[in-house]
């Protein structure tokens, strides 16, 4: 009799413990699950905050960073002398490698009509170092800027680049508005 | 015309501008967009959308389904072969297809941030965190057995598991507690996701990554050939939570289908030393001694907790160096002024008009927060260790071999060697 009692008491204690831990977990989940999952959040760079420190190239968990240079062609001045394309001390202003800022030759230029050139980024080559972005932002129209390319990004829970970004330019944006297009952003950071 | 003048002087202008570290203000209108005479049309720039393997709801349903199948395999089918096969499927899906992110282990941090700072997490992450724990409440660590890709991967690398001596095991089992606390303290104070960063296998799942990460992953797998599941047992922070839940589990893993004959075959087979050997019902003398031991350990408990708190408080300063601001201040002090442009964080901080004193003030606040967090962590770790010690004075006898509730990861090896099968 006493043994039977003992077993049931044990069972009751067990159910009490399970119940209380279960309620605890449920309470935590209920308290924290605020955001709807209809739009997943992904990482993106706010180009207005980016200071082109070059960490995007090296900090990404992928061997080839998911951050690439993109070109807001609407904003481009089609300059013959492009500050994103040529080194400050370029010997000549032509397409030779020693004149280019881009270490991998990912920034291409194409003659349109005098004196205008069209610039485009070869994404396969681009390493996301931001050297061209720096030139273009500081001295040009700022039409070149860095963005996380979402076909390459593996959507880490916590972006490794965001953790080391000195200017906190990384933010989580909804999946359906996953690019912060510079030509469409207001000028000042809100 | 203007452009031409500019062209002549551009090098000098560039130099002055660089030295002044011009802010990228009011760009975009320096060179107006040209009016083309030819019928040039600018090319469209493609902006590829993110690709997810499965939507959040499907992701959750698959996790739930996998846990249910795991329970079915462990409790009804009880076949090592099927468990292994299902492990392979889960490894493929959760590991290589889903690329391992996000997972319940890392979700600890999202939950911690939301719990301390609000803001909420998507319900998918919250439930990813909660589901395995709830299953652990009912059926033990079935998540670890095959559903967790980290566990499943290590499962395939167990070749000749050696027994870890009990003293070493007891010491190593403190590590997951520390990792859990460190992960929470760091993420709550804004020092990044330590638990994700120390995941050794994520590089293998992505099939790309930094070399140290890949080497670490392979190293852990190599150790895993002789020490079964080293990550699960001696590192995994989520394992700590699963252990807590599985202490009170409703239906723990049963080794024998029929009646145990105490043949000890399962003890030799268990790779994670989870099998509890039978112990006699204590005599009255033993009972007294154990009670005395219990009292001694209970008196020791506050001491352990206090020691943990002190250790936590004093390690807080060192841990705080994981925080970017504290690291920046350190660099600021140690690096000569002329090399500051090598550190973009210092440059950026200066550019906003802040001085070293401001940075130091911020760092002091951070260090203080870390001290507090680490002290609470120390109290938590001390309490857990104290309770683990109290368990040494357990009284109840045990007639048959049984799988320890907290350590058993339901790999199913003991099912295949157990000679006691149910009749029919």
């Amino acid at each position: 009799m006493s043994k039977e009692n003992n077993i049931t008491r044990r069972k009751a204690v067990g159910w009490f413990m399970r119940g209380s831990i279960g309620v605890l977990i449920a309470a935590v989940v209920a308290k924290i699950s605020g955001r709807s999952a209809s739009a997943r959040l992904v990482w993106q760079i706010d180009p207005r905050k980016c200071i082109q420190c070059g960490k995007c190239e090296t900090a990404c968990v992928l061997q080839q960073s998911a951050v690439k240079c993109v070109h807001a062609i609407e904003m481009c001045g089609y300059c013959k002398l492009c500050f994103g394309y040529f080194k400050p001390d370029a010997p000549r202003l032509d397409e030779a490698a020693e004149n280019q800022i881009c270490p991998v030759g990912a920034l291409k230029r194409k003659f349109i009509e005098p004196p205008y050139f069209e610039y485009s980024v070869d994404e396969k080559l681009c390493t996301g170092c931001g050297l061209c972005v720096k030139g273009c932002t500081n001295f040009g129209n700022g039409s070149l800027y860095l963005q996380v390319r979402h076909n390459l990004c593996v959507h880490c829970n916590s972006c490794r680049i965001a953790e080391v970004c000195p200017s906190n330019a990384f933010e989580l944006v909804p999946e359906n508005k996953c690019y912060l297009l510079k030509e469409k952003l207001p000028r000042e950071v809100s | 015309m203007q452009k031409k003048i500019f062209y002549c002087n551009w090098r000098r202008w560039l130099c002055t501008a660089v030295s002044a570290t011009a802010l990228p203000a009011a760009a975009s209108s320096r060179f107006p967009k040209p009016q083309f005479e030819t019928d040039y049309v600018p090319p469209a720039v493609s902006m590829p959308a993110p690709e997810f393997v499965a939507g959040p709801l499907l992701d959750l349903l698959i996790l739930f389904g996998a846990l249910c199948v795991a329970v079915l395999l462990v409790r009804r089918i009880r076949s090592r072969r099927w468990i292994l096969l299902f492990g392979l499927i889960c490894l493929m899906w959760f590991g290589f297809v889903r690329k391992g992110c996000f997972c319940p282990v890392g979700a600890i941090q999202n939950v911690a941030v939301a719990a301390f700072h609000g803001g909420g997490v998507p319900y998918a992450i919250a439930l990813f965190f909660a589901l395995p724990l709830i299953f652990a409440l009912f059926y033990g660590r079935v998540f670890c057995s095959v559903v967790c890709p980290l566990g499943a991967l290590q499962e395939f690398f167990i070749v000749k598991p050696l027994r870890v001596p009990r003293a070493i095991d007891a010491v190593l089992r403190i590590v997951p507690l520390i990792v859990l606390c460190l992960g929470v303290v760091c993420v709550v104070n804004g020092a990044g996701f330590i638990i994700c960063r120390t995941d050794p296998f994520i590089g293998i799942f992505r099939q790309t990554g930094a070399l140290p990460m890949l080497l670490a992953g392979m190293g852990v797998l190599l150790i895993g050939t002789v020490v079964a599941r080293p990550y699960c047992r001696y590192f995994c922070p989520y394992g700590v939570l699963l252990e807590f839940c599985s202490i009170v589990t409703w239906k723990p893993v049963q080794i024998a289908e029929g009646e145990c004959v105490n043949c000890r075959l399962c003890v030799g087979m268990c790779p994670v030393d989870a099998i509890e050997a039978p112990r006699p019902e204590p005599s009255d003398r033993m009972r007294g001694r154990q009670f005395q031991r219990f009292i001694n350990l209970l008196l020791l408990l506050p001491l352990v907790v206090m020691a943990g708190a002190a250790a936590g408080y004093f390690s807080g300063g060192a841990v705080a160096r994981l925080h970017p601001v504290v690291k920046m201040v350190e660099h600021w002090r140690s690096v000569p002024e002329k090399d500051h442009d090598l550190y973009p964080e210092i440059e950026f901080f200066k550019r906003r008009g802040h001085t070293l004193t401001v940075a130091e003030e911020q760092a002091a606040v951070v260090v203080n927060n870390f001290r507090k967090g680490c002290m609470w962590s120390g109290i938590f770790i001390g309490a857990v260790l104290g309770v683990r010690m109290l368990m040494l004075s357990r009284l109840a006898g045990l007639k048959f071999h049984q799988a320890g509730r907290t350590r058993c990861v339901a790999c199913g090896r003991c099912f295949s060697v157990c000679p006691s099968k149910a009749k029919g």
Side-chain angles (χ1 to χ4, degrees), chain A residues 18 40 113 118 140-141 179, chain B residues 28 30-31 38 40 48 54 248:
Chain A
R18 273 191 288 283
R40 261 195 250 204
E113 60 178 60
E118 177 199 289
N141 283 359
Y179 290 97
Chain B
S28 88
R30 286 184 186 130
F31 309 102
T38 52
Y40 163 76
V248 292

Side-chain angles (χ1 to χ4, degrees), chain B residues 37-307:
Chain B
E37 281 157 22
T38 52
D39 49 354
Y40 163 76
V41 183
V45 180
S46 78
M47 290 289 174
E51 293 156 9
F52 288 105
V53 202
L57 193 64
L58 185 65
D59 240 6
L60 267 175
L61 282 178
I62 290 176
L63 177 71
F64 184 74
L67 284 166
C68 288
V69 174
V71 169
L72 189 77
L73 289 175
V74 171
R75 295 210 59 82
R76 286 263 173 276
I77 300 177
R78 300 172 54 85
S79 148
R80 166 78 184 145
R81 206 172 298 161
W82 280 103
I83 289 176
L84 212 56
L85 184 72
F86 188 61
L88 196 64
I89 297 170
C90 283
L91 178 62
M92 285 298 152
W93 170 254
F94 290 106
F96 290 102
V97 178
R98 241 181 122 263
K99 302 258 188 277
C101 208
F102 48 85
C103 70
V105 185
I108 297 171
Q109 302 160 105
N110 302 57
V111 170
V113 170
F116 279 89
H117 296 311
V121 291
Y123 74 83
I125 294 187
L127 286 176
F128 247 72
F129 169 76
L131 267 182
L133 293 179
I134 289 168
F135 269 79
L137 277 181
F138 288 93
Y139 297 105
R141 297 172 64 174
V142 284
F143 173 71
C144 301
S145 74
V146 286
V147 181
C148 176
L150 308 174
L153 183 62
Q154 290 171 88
E155 187 68 43
F156 290 103
F157 278 82
I158 301 173
V159 179
K160 193 168 168 45
L162 301 177
R163 201 150 292 252
V164 181
R166 276 185 70 180
I168 298 177
D169 178 77
V171 173
L172 284 177
R173 263 158 58 85
I174 305 174
V175 178
L177 291 168
I178 296 175
V179 176
L180 176 68
C181 291
L182 198 65
V184 170
V185 169
C186 279
V187 82
V188 167
N189 290 310
F193 285 45
I194 300 292
I195 297 175
C196 293
R197 233 183 286 170
T198 50
D199 176 350
F201 303 126
I202 190 74
I204 297 175
F205 291 146
R206 290 189 188 124
Q207 292 157 38
T208 170
L211 190 63
M213 189 195 235
L214 289 172
L215 286 180
M218 285 170 198
V220 172
L221 287 181
L222 267 183
I223 296 169
T225 54
V226 285
V227 180
R229 291 180 171 242
Y231 181 80
C232 305
R233 286 157 80 195
Y234 304 124
F235 206 87
C236 181
Y238 196 61
V240 175
L241 301 180
L242 285 170
E243 270 183 30
F244 289 163
C245 285
S246 56
I247 290 173
V248 292
T249 192
W250 181 43
K251 298 215 159 165
V253 173
Q254 260 187 319
I255 302 168
E257 233 172 310
E259 192 163 281
C260 176
V261 290
N262 286 335
C263 64
R264 294 180 49 81
L265 279 173
C266 53
V267 178
M269 201 61 187
C270 183
V272 292
D273 304 340
I275 313 263
E276 285 176 24
R279 46 182 183 265
E281 285 285 344
S283 60
D284 280 352
R285 209 170 130 243
M286 271 287 283
R287 218 170 260 275
R289 271 213 342 240
Q290 284 291 65
F291 185 69
Q292 188 57 47
R293 205 170 168 193
F294 178 78
I295 296 295
N296 289 347
L297 288 170
L298 201 63
L299 291 177
L300 201 63
L301 185 69
L303 276 181
V304 175
V305 170
M306 265 152 62

